[in-house]
Amino acid sequence: MVEIDKSISFDGRDIRLKIGLLAPQAGGAVLIQSGDTAVLVTATRSQGREGIDFLPLLVDYEERLYAGGKIPGGFLRREGRPPEKVTLTGRLIDRPLRPLFPSWLRDDIQVVATTLSMDEQVPPDVLAVTGASVAILLAKMPFYGPMAAVRVGLVGDDFIINPTYSEIKEGELDLVVAGSPDGVIMVEASANQLPEQDIIEAIDFGYEAACDLIQAQREIMAELGIDFVVEERPPQDFALENFIRDRAQEPIRIILSRFEKDKIIRNAALDEVKANAVESAIAELAEDDPIKVAATSKAIGSVFKDVTKKMMRKQIIEDGVRIDGRKLDEVRDVSCRVGVLPSRVHGTALFNRGLTQVLSAATLGTPGDAQDLGDDLHPQQDKRYLHHYNFPPYSVGETRPMRSPGRREIGHGALAERALLPVLPSKEDFPYVIRVVSEILSSDGSTSMGSVCASTLALMDAGVPLSQPVSGAAMGLIKEGDEVRILTDIQAIEDFLGDMDFKVAGTDTGITALQMDMKIKGLPLDVIATAIRQAKPARLHILQKMLSTIDTPRKEMSPFAPRLLTLKIDPEFIGLVIGPGGKTIKAITEETGVKIDIEDDGTVTIAGNDGEKAQRAYSIIQGMTRKLNAGDVYVGTVTRIIPIGAFVEILPGKEGMIHISQLADYRVGKVEDELAVNDEVIVKVREIDNKGRINLTRLNIHPDEAVAAREALNK
């Protein structure tokens, strides 16, 4: 292939596409680069496997630590299990690609994006999304593209395209917009309680930039002589489809028009129709009948689902009524509880919306519990708020092996995490590390937004001082030709058979998180804007139900939650507090039973359930690290006596020595004549020698100095 090197400029920031240089045996390959961040994206297609009834698209995103000049840690010194950010980026690439492949395609397709170089300015994720589109087009796959993605930031009052890491951190918005020629196809955002209109304008701003990248891809393909041709669908035999449709359409319509709220009852009724009206009729056919030959279990299920989908959508488009009888903008019944588990779990809440039920548990930890992100290419080094999401099979009445969290679980947890981050207290105001786990106990649509609601309540139950509570709702879409209907608070079947899943979370002030996925080739901005605006009354309605359960964070934390004390010491004293081989800090923890964390900037956090012992550890460290000056006067305690003097603890963990000559203004024969162990004594710092040793005296102490020292001791 001819080598092509093309640059596209956004506000002075270039994106370079290098084609024909790397991976010549891949179906299509491009090196996409901005700044020193470069991602190789390849796309390869192989012949489909027999019996596949879905698109087997596999998207892998990988980061090599050499890209940032790092050597992996651990015994093996090579990359291991992918970090959460890698998994989320893989999902980010997959979501806008999937709707752009023809629904009939069954070939194996694999997209692999590998970050080969990375600076600390340019995130690689949106580059990988756009690179995936280029690679697929180069591979000449059937694809309704081109597709492109950009990130939009908000710094001050200005939107910026593809902001740097520092601009994202300082800004009020982190929005990823992916677009196709037919409109916006994916949105992912975290925001600092921005108004709906600001979000809509940001999406519009991002889509305009994505269109420039789409046009650049068209120009590259024209230069290479690659046409945008979608292969024709393979010939179909509609005999089985018509057979099932004729027998099932009317019974399905009757079931859907009953407006059954319970999906278990509704699904049982649909299964009965499939068994009695379809499968039994097929069983009566002759063995050599072409319909019976084609009627595999998968084929029957696929056609039956398609008939159900068309009937459900028709009812919504023509009658404006959903299968559970709700209006298009109506929210299901909501109920909430807090404190549902014993107080050993620091905060809990149970949130129900329709048949969706989420139990969230909040745990408060010490700074040492923060998640270390060091073996990573990205600037963030740790996380002090962790949100985990579990989706067991019983939540949908199924059985399957329980494995480690998959992409979906990680993605839903990250979405809930983004929704709550803007309202969490700062580290300075609330030094706890916080973990929330959302257990999906029953699923009938929008469990991620249910997790946001349950977790808000659990955090308030745990006494976390949120600035504002957060709620969320999932919006859906039914589009038939020019007819469009937007649905509020979608349930599972409306998500499964609909065209959009648009999750919106926020406070009564503004939006904190968005996630929009499509099953069609794109949407115009006005439809997206309507969905965002329609979500607001739903969010506020749910929020009102939540606040009727608990309206402010609890003033008292669980008695089993750790109590934290913090102090700031000079970083030069960190080694002193730790001691040789950790000896000093270990002695303090053994004496007091607390947990001590020390950060590089000198912040010391002491955690313990016993307030008095925590205060003792605080006083010891404060005393050890307090800078003493000659002339300071203290009330101390004699700790030991030697022939030439006595050692006195003047501050917790800090001792000085009084030489026998400094015990009195007359000659002292024996130290024991003046002092005994545990005696309280008023002393003055005479000097601190060049080795840091503290020399004390009992001489020349003014009575006022002695009074002040006693007052300081009693504070």
Side-chain angles (χ1 to χ4, degrees), residues 248-491:
Q249 187 166 286
E250 183 59 18
I252 290 174
R253 185 195 66 77
I254 293 171
I255 291 171
L256 297 183
S257 64
R258 291 175 187 166
F259 307 136
E260 176 58 61
K261 294 181 181 294
D262 192 324
K263 81 167 188 177
I264 297 174
I265 296 174
R266 183 174 60 245
N267 289 345
L270 289 172
D271 288 342
E272 187 176 348
V273 169
K274 185 168 72 169
N276 296 337
V278 177
E279 293 173 343
S280 61
I282 291 173
E284 294 174 0
L285 297 174
E287 292 300 322
D288 59 349
D289 190 302
I291 292 176
K292 190 167 187 176
V293 173
T296 63
S297 176
K298 280 187 177 181
I300 294 172
S302 178
V303 174
F304 192 85
K305 184 187 82 171
D306 188 58
V307 175
T308 305
K309 175 179 179 179
K310 286 183 168 59
M311 298 307 298
M312 183 203 80
R313 295 165 69 93
K314 182 179 179 181
Q315 182 172 285
I316 291 172
I317 292 288
E318 295 182 359
D319 303 331
V321 184
R322 299 155 75 171
I323 59 173
D324 59 358
R326 281 185 292 153
K327 298 176 183 177
L328 302 187
D329 61 352
E330 189 177 346
V331 178
R332 288 171 288 176
D333 293 339
V334 173
S335 65
C336 315
R337 295 184 186 184
V338 295
V340 293
L341 297 178
S343 58
R344 286 187 181 276
V345 184
H346 301 160
T348 54
L350 188 68
F351 178 83
N352 294 272
R353 192 200 310 104
L355 199 57
T356 291
Q357 184 182 70
V358 184
L359 173 68
S360 282
T363 306
L364 304 180
T366 67
D369 294 319
Q371 183 180 7
D372 182 12
L373 303 177
D375 222 3
D376 197 328
L377 287 176
H378 303 270
Q380 185 181 0
Q381 294 302 305
D382 59 30
K383 285 173 64 174
R384 58 179 292 265
Y385 176 62
L386 312 171
H387 198 124
H388 297 148
Y389 168 103
N390 295 320
F391 192 89
Y394 62 75
S395 66
V396 286
E398 296 177 355
T399 60
R400 59 174 166 80
M402 300 283 281
R403 304 295 189 217
S404 58
R407 284 188 172 190
R408 181 180 182 276
E409 286 86 350
I410 292 172
H412 280 27
L415 175 60
E417 185 174 295
R418 292 200 309 273
L420 287 160
L421 272 172
V423 302
L424 292 175
S426 67
K427 183 178 180 180
E428 291 70 28
D429 294 334
F430 195 75
Y432 289 91
V433 167
I434 306 167
R435 180 184 185 231
V436 176
V437 179
S438 294
E439 306 284 359
I440 310 306
L441 304 183
S442 178
S443 173
D444 188 20
S446 191
T447 54
S448 62
M449 293 298 95
S451 299
V452 170
C453 300
S455 300
T456 295
L457 295 170
L459 288 166
M460 294 170 73
D461 185 52
V464 178
L466 303 180
S467 62
Q468 286 185 275
V470 179
S471 63
M475 312 300 291
L477 177 85
I478 303 295
K479 186 177 186 296
E480 295 289 347
D482 295 331
E483 295 291 330
V484 175
R485 301 289 185 271
I486 295 172
L487 312 179
T488 294
D489 178 28
I490 56 174
Q491 52 189 316

Side-chain angles (χ1 to χ4, degrees), residues 36-107:
D36 284 341
T37 297
V39 185
L40 172 65
V41 190
T42 64
T44 307
R45 176 186 183 186
S46 60
Q47 189 172 356
R49 291 161 284 164
E50 191 70 28
I52 294 292
D53 61 350
F54 61 92
L55 172 64
L57 171 64
L58 181 62
V59 177
D60 290 305
Y61 171 74
E62 299 191 333
E63 290 181 344
R64 303 291 189 244
L65 288 188
Y66 60 70
K70 296 182 177 181
I71 294 175
F75 178 76
L76 296 178
R77 288 293 190 270
R78 68 176 299 161
E79 292 83 0
R81 183 175 179 178
E84 182 178 284
K85 179 68 177 174
V86 167
T87 300
L88 295 174
T89 302
R91 278 173 53 85
L92 193 75
I93 301 168
D94 182 292
R95 286 159 44 207
L97 287 181
R98 199 168 288 273
L100 297 180
F101 287 103
S103 60
W104 49 262
L105 188 61
R106 297 293 178 264
D107 287 352

